[in-house]
């Protein structure tokens, strides 16, 4: 009798577990009730800063192939949105993007590569949404202060001129402009920007504010009707898929206007898969924009490979289509801006999430993700613990969807255990029986089920293999031989280096590279006191040579450098071997960009408005320098760093020219 009393409960427990494993949790998808919010799209961000820097130097056909993977509909990521930096002549993470107005009496709408990139995106997708956002401003905008909003009329005019220039010179319609700064928003500026846009015939351009944090602007929008009427979208950076109550009360569009920022391996792809769904499920955000669009900057710079794909070797032509490209396609190829989310979206019973969208014409797209915690961690913010397990899920189609008989199926499996992932695979169509279908969902998967039949996994032949930076690299900055873009092969970290036609010296130095920023920009980043532009790999033993021309009689100074170990947001503390010459007739060799550790110094006889050739050789623990081919100093002891970039730059924000640059690695 005691035995039977013990056995019955055990059998009941086993039976319950078996039955539970066979059952499916049911989820309803309907448009019969009120629909959710209107979908605004998925996008990528070029800038903040200089993150597409190396893309422009790719040769064809590889450059066009990369652009196709990003923007071509029904091919790769098929992005709906391109957001670009309105260059401000300041280092804003990985480098500097040039301003359309270096000075208050200067306008040039052909600087940099963002105009080119927007046109290439528009060429592939005429319906793409274009957004501009200034991360920084030229120094003159703040009249000597590191703050752009003390003179809001000047700042508003500066931004509006960029939007007008986009249309006048490139036939580009900018649809949104953002307002961002690290400290806070400025209500007076936002109102004045709205007024200036309207006065300039740009009533259709919408404002995203604060394009940083939900608070404190959402409270101000609720209290200030004039401010509320000026703002169309509340943008948040790295919101962790959640919003705040006050933001919902404003009834404004809510966007994750900068997100992701994660290394683009499979965990980065998992991060992207999770937030693309859960930004809406948890936070009702109707657009998500990746920082950055394409990791096209040196990997040793801050946030290396934090793009949707990687294109960091223009010298080899190699690029890599990373997992986030195909995760993006799960949403972008099967829904478009203007579609509407269903009210019936949410979390799955055993972890993961699902969203559903409709075009209102009978089409339905459902995206499901089951990313586990450790395989979907983003760089920020911290991710609270949660569990995801394998599960069956049954979806009931109701409302106008009851007539759907078949759904196209696309699946990505990360397969972290086998390390053999499969991304964006087309599976056989799924029959819908009696208005329902059931899926067996494993961990770390993404599914798209859709009535849209145009999905396609585009492909090109493999690009050339990865290769180190060339052992011998030379550039005479001849614009006649350039690629037609105002972007030499250097990656500007601080300052702006541009092609220059030196009409005062029509001889061998007719075409040069010129540093043109003469005033410290308004920036949130810790810019160096000097300008610097780096190039190449993190190499060890090399010879760097360059012709230099100083344009400041009393304070002028320039350098060539090797083994520069830091750039971007860390450039102020860069170490390396810096060979400086000055217009006062002296030279100095330092172990750091700041010039604190002096390895050698003396007289050089250099002065302004004369050309000199500097040659720096670093081998092992020793460095030597030549001036015009003759030894100036030798055998300076260099213990650290062991490797780094080659570089050129100036002693301050000043005019200076460079020509006939070369780097030869051992």
């Amino acid at each position: 009798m005691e035995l039977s009393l013990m056995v019955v409960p055990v059998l009941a427990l086993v039976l319950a577990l078996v039955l539970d494993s066979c059952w499916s949790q049911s989820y309803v998808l309907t448009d019969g009730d009120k629909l959710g919010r209107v979908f605004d799209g998925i996008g990528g961000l070029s800038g903040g800063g200089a993150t597409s820097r190396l893309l422009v130097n790719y040769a064809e056909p590889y450059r066009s192939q990369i652009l196709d993977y990003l923007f071509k509909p029904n091919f790769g990521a098929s992005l709906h949105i391109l957001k670009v930096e309105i260059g401000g002549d300041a280092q804003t993470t990985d480098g500097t993007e040039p301003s359309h107005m270096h000075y208050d009496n200067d306008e040039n709408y052909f600087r940099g590569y963002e105009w080119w990139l927007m046109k290439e995106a528009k060429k592939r997708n005429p319906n793409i949404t274009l957004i501009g956002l200034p991360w920084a401003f030229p120094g003159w905008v703040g009249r000597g202060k590191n703050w752009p909003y003390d003179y809001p009329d000047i700042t508003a005019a500066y931004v509006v001129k960029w939007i007008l220039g986009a249309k006048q010179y490139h036939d580009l319609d900018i649809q949104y402009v953002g307002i961002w700064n690290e400290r806070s928003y400025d209500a007076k500026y936002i109102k004045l920007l709205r007024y200036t846009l309207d006065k300039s015939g740009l009533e259709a351009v919408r404002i995203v504010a604060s394009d940083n944090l939900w608070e404190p602007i959402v409270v101000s929008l609720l209290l200030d009707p004039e401010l509320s009427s000026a703002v169309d979208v509340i943008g948040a950076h790295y919101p962790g898929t959640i919003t705040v109550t006050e933001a919902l009360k404003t009834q404004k569009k809510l966007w994750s206007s900068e997100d992701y920022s994660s290394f683009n391996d499979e965990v980065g792809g998992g991060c992207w898969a999770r937030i693309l769904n859960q930004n809406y499920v948890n936070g009702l955000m109707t657009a998500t924009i990746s920082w950055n669009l394409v990791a096209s900057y040196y990997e040793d710079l801050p946030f290396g490979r934090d793009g949707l794909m990687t294109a960091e070797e223009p010298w080899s032509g190699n690029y890599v289509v990373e997992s986030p490209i195909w995760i993006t396609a799960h949403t972008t190829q099967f829904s478009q801006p203007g579609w509407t989310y269903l009210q019936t979206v949410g979390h799955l019973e055993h972890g993961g999430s699902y969203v559903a969208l409709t075009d209102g014409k009978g089409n339905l797209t459902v995206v499901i993700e089951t990313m586990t915690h450790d395989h979907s961690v983003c760089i920020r913010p911290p991710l609270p613990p949660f569990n995801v397990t394998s599960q069956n899920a049954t979806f009931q189609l109701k409302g106008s969807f009851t007539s759907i008989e078949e759904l196209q199926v696309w699946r990505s499996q990360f397969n972290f255990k086998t390390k053999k992932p499969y991304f964006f695979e087309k599976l056989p169509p799924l029959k819908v029986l009696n208005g329902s279908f059931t899926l067996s969902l494993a961990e770390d998967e993404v599914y798209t089920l859709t009535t849209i039949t145009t999905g396609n996994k585009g492909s090109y032949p493999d690009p050339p293999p990865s290769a180190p930076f060339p052992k011998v690299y030379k550039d005479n900055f001849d614009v006649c031989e350039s690629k037609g873009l105002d972007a030499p092969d250097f990656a500007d970290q601080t300052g702006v280096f541009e092609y220059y036609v030196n009409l005062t010296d029509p001889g061998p130095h007719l075409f040069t590279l010129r540093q043109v920023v003469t005033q410290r920009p308004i920036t949130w980043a810790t810019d160096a006191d000097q300008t610097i532009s780096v190039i190449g790999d993190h190499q060890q033993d090399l010879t760097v040579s360059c012709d230099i021309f100083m344009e400041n009689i009393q304070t002028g100074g320039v350098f060539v450098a090797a083994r520069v170990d830091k750039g971007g947001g860390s450039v102020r503390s860069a170490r390396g071997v810096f060979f400086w010459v000055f217009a006062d007739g002296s030279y100095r060799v330092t172990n750091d960009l700041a010039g604190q550790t002096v390895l050698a110094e003396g007289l050089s006889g250099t002065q302004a408005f004369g050309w000199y050739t500097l040659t720096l050789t670093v081998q092992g623990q020793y460095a030597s320098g030549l001036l015009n081919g003759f030894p100036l100093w030798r055998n300076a002891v260099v213990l650290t760093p062991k490797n780094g970039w080659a570089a050129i730059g100036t002693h301050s924000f000043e005019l200076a020219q460079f020509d006939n640059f070369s780097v030869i690695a051992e």
Side-chain angles (χ1 to χ4, degrees):
M1 184 65 178
E2 291 181 1
L3 180 61
S4 63
L5 287 174
M6 293 174 61
V7 169
V8 170
V10 171
L11 289 175
L13 177 61
V14 172
L15 181 60
L17 290 172
V18 171
L19 290 173
D20 183 66
S21 67
C22 297
W23 289 346
S24 293
Q25 182 67 31
S26 184
Y27 308 91
V28 174
L29 301 175
T30 181
D31 58 354
D33 300 323
K34 182 181 177 182
L35 295 174
R37 293 192 169 210
V38 174
F39 176 60
D40 293 307
I42 307 300
L45 202 167
S46 174
T51 53
S52 304
R53 178 63 196 79
L54 299 177
L55 175 59
V56 296
N57 295 115
Y58 269 78
E60 295 293 354
Y62 310 114
R63 189 169 70 181
S64 288
Q65 292 174 4
I66 295 164
L67 293 165
D68 285 350
Y69 279 116
L70 293 168
F71 300 116
K72 186 178 179 180
N74 300 315
F75 188 85
S78 305
L79 291 171
H80 304 133
I81 298 169
L82 173 59
K83 181 177 179 179
V84 304
E85 177 173 1
I86 300 175
D89 291 345
Q91 188 283 116
T92 54
T93 297
D94 284 297
T96 299
E97 301 211 20
S99 170
H100 58 291
M101 296 181 69
H102 293 319
Y103 321 107
D104 58 357
N105 60 350
D106 161 67
E107 291 185 51
N108 185 324
Y109 298 94
F110 294 92
R111 294 185 182 124
Y113 42 83
E114 301 297 5
W115 313 107
W116 165 82
L117 183 60
M118 286 188 284
K119 287 188 286 188
E120 291 294 324
K122 198 82 172 176
K123 185 189 304 180
R124 288 161 174 80
N125 177 8
N127 296 318
I128 198 164
T129 298
L130 299 177
I131 305 173
L133 174 68
W135 270 255
F137 299 86
W140 64 267
V141 172
R143 293 186 178 177
K145 295 183 180 179
N146 193 42
W147 183 246
Y149 302 125
D150 283 347
Y151 304 95
D153 54 335
I154 295 175
T155 305
Y158 169 84
V159 171
V160 168
K161 284 182 179 180
W162 183 87
I163 299 171
L164 290 170
K167 182 63 176 178
Q168 180 178 350
Y169 295 99
H170 302 284
D171 196 28
L172 293 168
D173 292 302
I174 306 300
Q175 288 134 293
Y176 292 88
V177 61
I179 290 132
W180 178 87
N181 63 77
E182 196 173 51
R183 286 181 262 174
S184 69
Y185 69 97
D186 188 285
K188 182 179 180 181
Y189 169 70
I190 293 173
K191 296 174 186 178
L192 188 56
L193 177 61
R194 179 72 270 163
Y195 169 78
T196 308
L197 287 166
D198 294 346
K199 185 179 67 173
S200 304
L202 298 171
E203 295 89 349
V205 178
R206 304 303 179 194
I207 292 177
V208 183
S210 62
D211 211 342
N212 186 15
L213 300 171
W214 298 123
E215 298 173 311
I217 192 171
V218 292
V219 175
S220 297
L221 290 173
L222 293 171
L223 297 175
D224 186 340
E226 184 182 0
L227 179 64
S228 181
S229 66
V231 174
D232 300 277
V233 178
I234 305 173
H237 292 192
Y238 310 100
T241 76
I242 59 175
T243 185
V244 296
T245 302
E246 288 77 10
L248 296 172
K249 288 180 181 177
T250 66
Q251 299 184 351
K252 300 287 185 183
K253 288 178 177 290
L254 308 179
W255 287 2
S256 179
S257 53
E258 182 178 323
D259 216 330
Y260 178 62
S261 188
S262 298
F263 192 79
N264 59 22
D265 60 4
E266 264 69 276
V267 173
C271 153
W272 188 233
R274 177 176 55 79
I275 65 178
L276 283 184
N277 263 23
Q278 296 196 28
N279 274 348
Y280 186 77
V281 170
N282 300 337
L284 294 180
M285 287 168 266
T286 55
T288 298
I289 301 173
S290 165
W291 187 90
N292 50 69
L293 170 74
V294 52
S296 209
Y297 49 98
Y298 298 133
E299 191 167 334
D300 290 305
L301 288 171
F303 306 99
R305 269 186 58 186
D306 280 16
L308 296 178
M309 64 180 289
T310 303
E312 59 188 17
E313 291 187 13
W315 53 86
S316 72
N318 178 260
Y319 63 86
V320 185
V321 184
E322 312 283 4
S323 61
I325 289 290
W326 303 119
I327 295 305
T328 308
H330 273 279
T331 299
T332 54
Q333 289 201 20
F334 310 107
S335 54
Q336 296 298 320
W339 284 42
T340 307
Y341 284 100
L342 304 188
Q343 286 276 39
T344 48
V345 301
H347 292 277
L348 298 169
E349 181 72 15
H350 296 289
S353 65
Y354 66 99
V355 296
L357 303 100
T358 181
D359 64 352
K361 302 175 183 178
N363 283 308
L364 172 68
T365 291
V366 184
V367 184
I368 303 165
E369 59 82 21
T370 59
M371 297 308 305
T372 56
H373 180 280
D374 292 350
H375 295 153
S376 66
V377 176
C378 303
I379 192 171
R380 63 175 84 88
L383 183 61
F386 62 85
N387 293 315
V388 177
T389 57
S390 299
Q391 58 195 296
N392 293 331
T394 297
F395 291 87
Q396 301 282 342
L397 304 186
K398 296 188 176 181
S400 70
F401 306 133
T402 56
S403 61
I404 295 175
E405 298 180 351
E406 182 179 88
L407 291 168
Q408 307 299 310
V409 182
W410 293 81
R411 180 180 66 184
S412 290
Q413 294 180 309
F414 283 84
N415 292 331
F416 284 96
K417 291 182 179 179
T418 65
K419 297 184 179 180
K420 294 182 179 180
Y422 297 94
F423 293 114
F424 204 58
E425 287 187 302
K426 192 176 191 307
L427 302 184
L430 179 67
K431 299 297 181 183
V432 179
L433 301 175
N434 299 319
S436 73
F437 62 90
T438 298
L439 292 175
S440 179
L441 303 173
E443 299 173 3
D444 299 320
E445 291 186 330
V446 179
Y447 275 89
T448 297
L449 300 105
T450 180
T451 56
I452 301 298
T453 59
T454 53
N456 176 56
K457 185 172 185 178
S459 65
Y460 283 112
D462 290 341
S466 176
F469 191 77
K471 291 285 188 181
V472 178
Y473 175 89
K474 297 182 179 181
D475 196 339
N476 64 4
F477 311 121
D478 190 336
V479 293
C480 296
E481 300 173 2
S482 76
K483 302 173 180 64
L485 296 167
D486 189 8
D489 291 341
F490 285 83
D492 302 348
Q493 302 307 300
T494 302
V496 176
F497 295 76
E498 295 180 346
Y499 288 129
Y500 178 65
V501 182
N502 186 6
L503 296 177
T504 61
D505 185 2
H509 300 293
L510 174 61
F511 301 111
T512 67
L513 187 70
R514 194 187 199 200
Q515 199 297 118
V516 298
V517 177
T518 58
Q519 183 180 6
R520 175 175 291 281
I522 299 170
T523 176
W524 58 272
T526 52
D527 268 358
D529 294 321
Q530 309 84 0
T531 71
I532 179 172
S533 191
V534 303
I535 190 169
D537 284 342
H538 258 211
Q539 297 161 318
Q540 183 175 12
D541 295 340
L542 68 165
T543 295
V544 183
S545 180
C546 191
D547 297 344
I548 62 92
F549 184 91
M550 294 173 279
E551 299 186 47
N552 282 19
I553 295 176
Q554 295 182 337
T555 60
V558 299
F559 68 81
V560 298
R563 294 189 185 177
V564 179
D565 66 346
K566 294 179 182 177
S570 305
V571 71
R572 174 178 281 269
S573 60
R575 294 178 60 80
V577 184
F578 297 85
F579 176 18
W580 310 77
V581 294
F582 300 95
D584 66 1
S586 66
Y587 78 90
R588 189 177 306 129
V589 184
T590 67
N591 205 186
D592 57 338
L593 178 62
Q596 299 300 310
T597 304
V598 178
L599 304 177
E601 58 184 337
L603 297 178
S604 62
T606 52
Q607 57 187 354
F609 299 105
W611 281 99
Y612 302 90
T613 300
L614 302 185
T615 304
L616 168 66
T617 299
V618 185
Q619 291 182 318
Q621 296 183 0
Y622 297 97
S624 300
L626 306 178
L627 176 64
N628 293 337
F630 296 96
L632 184 64
W633 55 276
R634 63 181 64 189
N635 296 331
V637 177
V638 181
L639 299 179
T640 59
K642 300 297 184 184
N643 51 59
W645 294 289
I648 56 174
T650 61
H651 182 241
S652 62
F653 287 91
E654 62 187 83
L655 298 175
Q657 296 177 54
F658 304 84
D659 201 1
N660 299 320
F661 175 86
S662 72
V663 56
I664 302 173
E666 296 295 328

